[in-house]
Amino acid sequence: MLFEKETYVRRRQTLRERVGEGIVLLFGNNDSPANYPSNVYKFRQDSTFLYYFGLHRDGLVGVLDADSGEEWLLGDDIDMDDIVWYGQVESVAAMAQACGVGKSAPLSRLSDIVSAARQHGRTVHFLPPYRHEQMIHLMDLTGLHPSQQREGASVALIKAIVDQRAVKSAAEVAEIERACVIGYEMHTTAQRLCQPGVSEQYIAGVIEGIAYSKGCMPSFPSIVTMHGEIMHGNPSPRPLEEGRLLLCDAGAETNENYCSDHTRTTPVSGRFTQRQREIYQIVEDCHDYALTLARPGVKWWDVHFGICRRMTEQLKELGLMKGDTDAAVEAGAHAMFMPHGLGHMMGMDVHDMEGLGQTYVGFDEEVRPRLDQFGTNCLRMGRRLQEGFVMSDEPGIYFIPALIDEWRAKGHCAEFLNFDLLETYKDFGGIRIEDDLLITSDGCRFLGEQRIPYHIDEIENR
Ligand code: GLY
Ligand code: MN
């Protein structure tokens, strides 16, 4: 466990108090089969379960009684067959004791606990499930079909958890910095390997191997591609080509499941062309500009749109955009180039708590998501920043041929875009620069010991 028992005890106590009444179900994850039942993906515990219990074993469920304060850890002790194949592990009772939970029982007790609560008309709080076996388990317990479970999840529980997990303690920040240090090694290795003839998949394999060789893993499938204009492009077996850009978006997740997330874009030939340099400088400037805006009390929405306006100004200088900057951004014209938000919350999930619902993680009563506009509709964050939030800062400029064609055909935002010039950028790809930002008491700072090179002269003289 990453923290002392008392940390988990305190976190659960706070959660019970904030939820106020009823029982709270917190599901751990199970092993997940890849191609037959006993051939499983690497086990990944649920982040919320880890946050409150710190236990990495599969097949556990935590139950908190918000009225009485009682707590259970439910799970089945392993049998001799498991011991023979997988080795001895601690008993469920010992695990409960290790994280300060008073009661333990076999998993079959869960249905009795839930039935009793329902018979007494008590609220059964649960989170939106994202794994199918949990959906089935939840259906057995509550009668709710999986299609109704996201809607039926407890908003009070989600909000209480988001409040706790969003603000990172110094120890959590230290763990994210450990992930950033591994990310540094991954990205500087990718930059070194970025040479004509080397394949995208080779680079992805080597850098993910760095994470695994430290007992860690990638925080998401690495994006290593000459087609940077595809936001989550998979690495292909294609060899890198002279003159193109390689976009590498990758991160590490420590053994205790805290994540880093960085992106660098490197010219395969070692030097940027004039056109690449012009676009790169805009992204670099926007990336650094975020640092001057982000601080406690500021809405991330305003940081995002501050950057969109700055990007628009500079794209106008290149002749790619035109017209009034504020009007262009209001119309969403900048989303032709940056169709995503400036950043997302980070923590134990690389998109922290995304499974709980972005509306609750990144928005609130004051800042609501805007779903009617392309680009703005996929912002993952808008609300005011607080000290202890960790955010990614990841502006990008992309040239997406299909999007150019569609907007041109519809005349969408035609008063703000120079479609003839855009046409000549269709083979450009995309550029993104990403680092991880801690909101401090009076501003913010990048996380990690050393900055992964991103200034043009550092990249060209690598
Ligand atoms: N680094 C991948 C993403 O933020 O979506
Ligand atoms: Mn990211």
Side-chain angles (χ1 to χ4, degrees):
M1 293 197 310
L2 179 58
F3 300 108
E4 302 283 311
K5 180 202 288 196
E6 288 65 36
T7 301
Y8 299 104
V9 169
R10 220 175 24 250
R11 285 174 176 176
R12 293 193 303 268
Q13 184 183 345
T14 304
L15 182 62
R16 282 191 273 102
E17 286 167 2
R18 290 193 183 170
V19 171
E21 53 76 41
I23 61 165
V24 173
L25 310 184
L26 295 171
F27 288 87
N29 278 338
N30 297 332
D31 260 331
S32 195
N35 51 337
Y36 54 89
S38 67
N39 202 21
V40 294
Y41 291 109
K42 183 175 161 64
F43 177 70
R44 173 55 157 89
Q45 186 57 283
D46 174 75
S47 300
T48 296
F49 187 84
L50 265 182
Y51 185 82
Y52 292 104
F53 299 93
L55 300 169
H56 289 273
R57 221 200 87 180
D58 61 309
L60 301 172
V61 181
V63 180
L64 315 180
D65 189 320
D67 297 291
S68 72
E70 267 182 323
E71 299 181 336
W72 290 268
L73 183 68
L74 305 172
D76 295 329
D77 285 328
I78 61 172
D79 60 18
M80 188 49 73
D81 280 351
D82 286 331
I83 293 171
V84 168
W85 286 96
Y86 306 112
Q88 185 68 271
V89 295
E90 277 187 314
S91 66
V92 175
M95 286 189 281
Q97 204 177 20
C99 62
V101 169
K103 297 184 171 180
S104 63
L107 198 52
S108 56
R109 272 291 300 284
L110 185 57
S111 59
D112 301 336
I113 294 170
V114 173
S115 303
R118 296 178 79 206
Q119 270 164 20
H120 289 93
R122 301 179 67 202
T123 315
V124 178
H125 301 270
F126 60 87
L127 296 174
Y130 56 92
R131 290 209 180 187
H132 294 116
E133 69 272 18
Q134 276 152 4
M135 293 179 192
I136 293 169
H137 200 170
L138 206 50
M139 183 161 68
D140 290 345
L141 292 169
T142 63
L144 268 182
H145 188 268
S147 62
Q148 301 166 320
Q149 290 172 1
R150 185 154 274 276
E151 213 171 279
S154 162
V155 174
L157 178 61
I158 293 171
K159 286 186 169 173
I161 292 175
V162 168
D163 279 351
Q164 276 186 283
R165 281 182 57 190
V167 178
K168 272 65 184 179
S169 67
E172 290 181 286
V173 171
E175 193 65 17
I176 296 174
E177 297 224 70
R178 274 192 272 282
C180 289
V181 169
I182 302 167
Y184 175 88
E185 195 177 328
M186 291 164 72
H187 278 276
T188 49
T189 301
Q191 287 177 323
R192 202 161 19 82
L193 290 174
C194 178
Q195 307 278 349
V198 179
S199 79
E200 296 171 359
Q201 285 180 343
Y202 178 78
I203 297 175
V206 172
I207 66 173
E208 292 193 351
I210 291 172
Y212 285 118
S213 71
K214 295 174 192 303
C216 304
M217 60 183 179
S219 50
F220 59 95
S222 302
I223 300 160
V224 182
T225 178
M226 289 182 285
H227 281 283
E229 79 281 8
I230 302 173
M231 297 306 118
H232 284 175
N234 287 320
S236 81
R238 255 195 322 263
L240 301 188
E241 293 160 20
E242 293 274 8
R244 292 198 60 96
L245 295 167
L246 180 71
L247 186 149
C248 176
D249 181 349
E253 179 169 320
T254 65
N255 262 329
E256 295 295 338
N257 303 101
Y258 282 83
C259 299
S260 67
D261 187 6
H262 294 99
T263 307
R264 291 294 181 267
T265 309
T266 309
V268 175
S269 307
R271 289 187 69 76
F272 291 97
T273 64
Q274 181 56 26
R275 195 166 250 207
Q276 290 167 346
R277 181 183 303 268
E278 287 167 356
I279 299 295
Y280 191 94
Q281 280 167 339
I282 300 175
V283 179
E284 184 187 10
D285 173 73
C286 290
H287 171 265
D288 290 346
Y289 184 51
L291 210 64
T292 68
L293 301 179
R295 77 184 82 90
V298 168
K299 290 181 207 153
W300 186 255
W301 184 272
D302 292 336
V303 180
H304 169 82
F305 281 105
I307 266 127
C308 296
R309 280 191 293 274
R310 195 164 172 112
M311 187 177 279
T312 299
E313 282 292 331
Q314 296 180 68
L315 288 167
K316 275 165 55 179
E317 283 167 27
L318 290 184
L320 282 159
M321 292 188 76
K322 56 188 178 176
D324 179 68
T325 298
D326 288 341
V329 171
E330 182 57 33
H334 61 283
M336 164 59 75
F337 303 93
M338 189 169 96
H340 60 70
L342 178 67
H344 48 86
M345 225 177 234
M346 296 187 54
M348 278 193 280
D349 305 308
V350 70
H351 292 175
D352 209 22
M353 302 179 274
E354 191 164 292
L356 301 185
Q358 215 53 56
T359 313
Y360 303 113
V361 178
F363 297 89
D364 57 15
E365 299 299 318
E366 185 187 20
V367 187
R368 301 230 165 247
R370 184 170 171 194
L371 302 176
D372 62 336
Q373 187 179 75
F374 175 79
T376 308
N377 59 0
C378 60
L379 258 59
R380 294 196 165 96
M381 176 77 181
R383 67 186 170 115
R384 287 185 196 275
L385 298 168
Q386 293 174 35
E387 183 179 356
F389 280 10
V390 176
M391 299 294 305
S392 71
D393 165 22
E394 49 178 313
I397 294 182
Y398 316 91
F399 295 89
I400 304 166
L403 190 63
I404 296 171
D405 287 344
E406 189 192 80
W407 285 26
R408 178 168 214 158
K410 288 185 179 162
H412 183 61
C413 289
E415 63 273 44
F416 304 115
L417 296 167
N418 181 344
F419 284 115
D420 286 342
L421 189 54
L422 267 168
E423 206 59 47
T424 69
Y425 278 79
K426 276 183 168 172
D427 61 351
F428 185 97
I431 292 175
R432 178 163 65 248
I433 306 175
E434 176 177 24
D435 285 299
D436 307 333
L437 212 54
L438 171 68
I439 307 303
T440 58
S441 61
D442 58 354
C444 62
R445 71 172 175 89
F446 286 122
L447 291 173
E449 280 173 11
Q450 297 180 73
R451 301 296 306 283
I452 302 163
Y454 72 104
H455 293 304
I456 287 184
D457 57 334
E458 298 168 328
I459 292 177
E460 293 196 328
N461 298 310
R462 73 198 132 100

